């Protein structure tokens, strides 16, 4: 049983010269690691390929698949110290192709750099939370670790390529990690603890004003519309004479003309109909009936006003006195 050759020369995303030199150095270690599982590996530098196959002593049928994955990881510049872990039983690998997920090259480079983070901090946080080794190389992301961790890594990588920042998924993974430590919450739903991030910047697609509802699919063709002859047969007009038919058509035309004439006359008469006037309401100031009028107080005020302003004689008139200098004048005269 032979595995497919995975390392070819002339691929644009990696330099073959450096990889060949690295493979020459670590090839004895690769042969030794595969020899423990009784897997035979051959390196052809002229053709630029690595081939793995089983031997008579191979007892694990899945060992050749693990050897193939080891070659894939080495071809994507994964260090041998990490790639050799794929031969363990509880380890698996996932190679995620991200080259075709984004249209423009500039966006692809930005989102790939967002996945790596400043000085590789985002990638390091992802590795600590998932217990996986992650390496971004060219148009692929190589991940090595347990199965549950590989699922989370794939989800984070694909969301990042869909313009969702990896910090949201990392925050969710941190909360899940803390919740898993509590034995009481293992059998409960964690949705109430997990954050809900809304896409605020994304514009919603405009919905059309007139929505058309699709009819249910039926394998039978639609019913054919009735022809003029079928309608005449249903009403009995087909069996009438030509003269009767003409007379009936003329009557229908006259009825339509009369209806149109009455409508036209009504529209003309609308201009001569006067508009309805609103009734004029006279405003009357009603005297307040609640407050009681004191008649005696009003009479007293009127009396005082007469004595002050009009100069009415007082009730007890004061006798007039002549001044002293008037008496002296009379005596002299």
């Amino acid at each position: 049983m032979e595995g497919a050759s995975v390392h070819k020369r002339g691929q644009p995303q990696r330099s073959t010269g450096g990889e060949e030199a690295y493979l020459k150095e670590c090839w004895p270690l690769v042969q030794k690691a595969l020899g423990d599982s009784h897997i035979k590996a051959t390196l052809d530098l002229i053709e630029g390929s690595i081939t793995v196959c089983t031997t008579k002593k191979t007892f694990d049928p899945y060992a050749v698949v693990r050897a193939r994955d080891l070659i894939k990881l080495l071809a994507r510049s994964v260090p041998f110290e990490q790639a050799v872990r794929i031969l363990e039983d509880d380890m698996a690998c996932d190679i995620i192709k991200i080259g075709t997920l984004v249209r423009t090259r500039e966006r692809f480079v930005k989102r790939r750099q967002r996945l790596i983070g400043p000085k590789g901090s985002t990638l390091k946080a992802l590795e600590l939370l998932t217990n996986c080794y992650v390496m971004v190389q060219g148009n692929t992301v190589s991940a090595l670790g347990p199965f549950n961790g590989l699922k989370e890594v794939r989800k984070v990588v694909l969301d990042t390529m869909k313009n969702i920042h990896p910090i949201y998924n990392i925050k969710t993974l941190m909360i899940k990690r803390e919740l898993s430590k509590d034995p009481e919450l293992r059998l409960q739903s964690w949705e109430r603890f997990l954050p809900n991030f809304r896409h605020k910047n994304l514009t919603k697609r405009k919905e059309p004003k007139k929505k058309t509802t699709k009819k249910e699919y039926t394998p039978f063709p639609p019913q054919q519309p009735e022809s003029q002859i079928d309608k005449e047969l249903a009403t009995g007009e087909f069996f009438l004479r030509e003269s009767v038919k003409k007379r009936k058509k003329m009557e229908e035309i006259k009825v339509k003309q009369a209806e149109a004439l009455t409508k036209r006359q009504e529209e003309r008469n609308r201009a001569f109909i006067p508009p309805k006037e609103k009734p004029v309401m006279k405003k009357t100031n009603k005297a307040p009936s609640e407050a009681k009028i004191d008649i005696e107080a009003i009479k007293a005020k009127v009396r005082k006003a007469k004595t002050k302003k009009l100069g009415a004689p007082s009730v007890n008139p004061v006798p007039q006195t002549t001044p002293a200098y008037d008496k002296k004048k009379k005596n002299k005269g």
Side-chain angles (χ1 to χ4, degrees):
M1 182 179 180
E2 292 184 0
S5 60
V6 295
H7 184 70
K8 293 283 185 181
R9 292 190 200 182
Q11 293 188 0
Q13 68 265 24
R14 54 181 181 270
S15 60
T16 56
E19 288 181 4
E20 287 179 0
Y22 179 71
L23 281 171
K24 285 180 183 179
E25 293 177 2
C26 68
W27 184 246
L29 300 173
V30 174
Q31 283 184 322
K32 184 180 179 182
L34 294 176
D36 296 339
S37 301
H38 304 287
I39 299 292
K40 184 182 178 182
T42 56
L43 173 63
D44 191 350
L45 294 175
I46 298 170
E47 187 183 352
S49 64
I50 302 173
T51 309
V52 290
C53 59
T54 55
T55 59
K56 293 181 179 179
K57 294 182 179 180
T58 306
F59 57 90
D60 186 6
Y62 198 70
V64 69
V65 179
R66 295 185 184 278
R68 181 203 63 186
D69 293 340
L70 174 63
I71 296 169
K72 281 185 178 181
L73 293 172
L74 290 173
R76 280 163 178 80
S77 302
V78 178
F80 173 76
E81 292 79 8
Q82 297 290 339
V84 77
R85 291 168 55 201
I86 193 65
L87 299 176
E88 299 175 7
D89 291 335
D90 56 345
M91 285 292 166
C93 73
D94 190 9
I95 295 164
I96 307 159
K97 296 180 181 179
I98 58 174
T100 58
L101 297 177
V102 185
R103 292 182 181 178
T104 57
R105 184 69 182 175
E106 294 177 358
R107 286 184 183 178
F108 170 73
V109 172
K110 284 182 181 178
R111 293 178 187 180
R112 186 179 63 180
Q113 186 60 34
R114 192 183 298 167
L115 178 64
I116 297 169
K119 298 181 180 179
S121 58
T122 307
L123 207 63
K124 189 67 178 177
L126 187 62
E127 288 179 352
L128 292 172
L129 290 169
T130 57
N131 296 326
C132 295
Y133 175 80
V134 185
M135 185 174 185
V136 181
Q137 177 72 17
N139 294 333
T140 58
V141 178
S142 304
L144 175 69
F147 291 99
N148 293 331
L150 292 176
K151 287 181 182 178
E152 299 294 340
V153 171
R154 175 172 277 273
K155 182 178 180 299
V156 173
V157 171
L158 294 179
D159 285 350
T160 305
M161 290 294 120
K162 291 176 184 177
N163 202 19
I164 299 172
H165 204 279
I167 193 66
Y168 298 135
N169 288 315
I170 287 171
K171 190 173 182 180
T172 306
L173 289 172
M174 289 171 68
I175 295 170
K176 285 182 179 179
R177 188 176 184 180
E178 294 298 324
L179 291 173
S180 62
K181 294 177 182 178
D182 192 353
E184 295 180 358
L185 296 172
R186 285 184 180 178
L187 300 176
Q188 297 181 11
S189 178
W190 292 352
E191 291 182 358
R192 51 182 176 164
F193 302 108
L194 299 178
N196 284 326
F197 300 105
R198 296 179 181 178
H199 306 289
K200 294 182 180 179
N201 295 333
L202 297 178
T203 56
K204 294 182 179 178
R205 182 179 174 272
K206 292 182 180 179
E207 295 181 354
K209 291 182 179 179
K210 295 180 180 179
K211 294 183 179 179
T212 56
T213 55
K214 291 184 178 180
K215 297 180 181 179
E216 294 182 0
Y217 172 74
T218 55
F220 306 104
Q223 189 177 1
Q224 291 184 355
E226 292 183 353
S227 62
Q228 189 67 24
I229 297 171
D230 293 337
K231 291 178 182 178
E232 289 179 358
L233 286 170
T235 56
E237 294 179 4
F238 183 77
F239 304 102
L240 297 175
R241 294 178 184 177
E242 290 294 328
S243 60
V244 179
K245 288 181 181 179
K246 287 181 181 178
R247 196 186 313 139
K248 198 169 184 180
K249 283 184 180 179
M250 290 299 293
E251 288 176 359
E252 289 177 357
I253 291 168
K254 286 180 181 179
V255 170
K256 288 181 180 179
Q257 286 177 353
E259 289 178 357
L261 186 64
T262 53
K263 284 183 180 179
R264 205 178 302 126
Q265 195 69 28
E266 287 176 0
E267 288 177 359
R268 287 175 183 173
N269 294 334
R270 280 178 192 172
F272 301 102
I273 297 171
K276 293 182 180 180
E277 295 182 357
K278 294 181 180 179
V280 179
M281 301 295 290
K282 293 183 179 179
K283 295 182 179 180
T284 56
N285 296 327
K286 294 182 179 180
S289 60
E290 295 179 358
K292 293 181 179 180
I293 301 169
D294 193 356
I295 298 170
E296 297 296 331
I298 294 169
K299 287 180 180 180
K301 286 182 181 179
V302 172
R303 285 173 192 166
K304 287 180 182 179
K306 283 180 180 180
T307 54
K308 288 180 181 179
K309 294 180 181 177
L310 302 176
S314 59
V315 181
N316 298 321
V318 181
Q320 292 182 358
T321 55
T322 57
Y325 66 89
D326 289 341
K327 289 180 180 179
K328 288 179 181 179
K329 286 179 179 180
K330 287 179 181 180
N331 294 329
K332 286 178 181 181

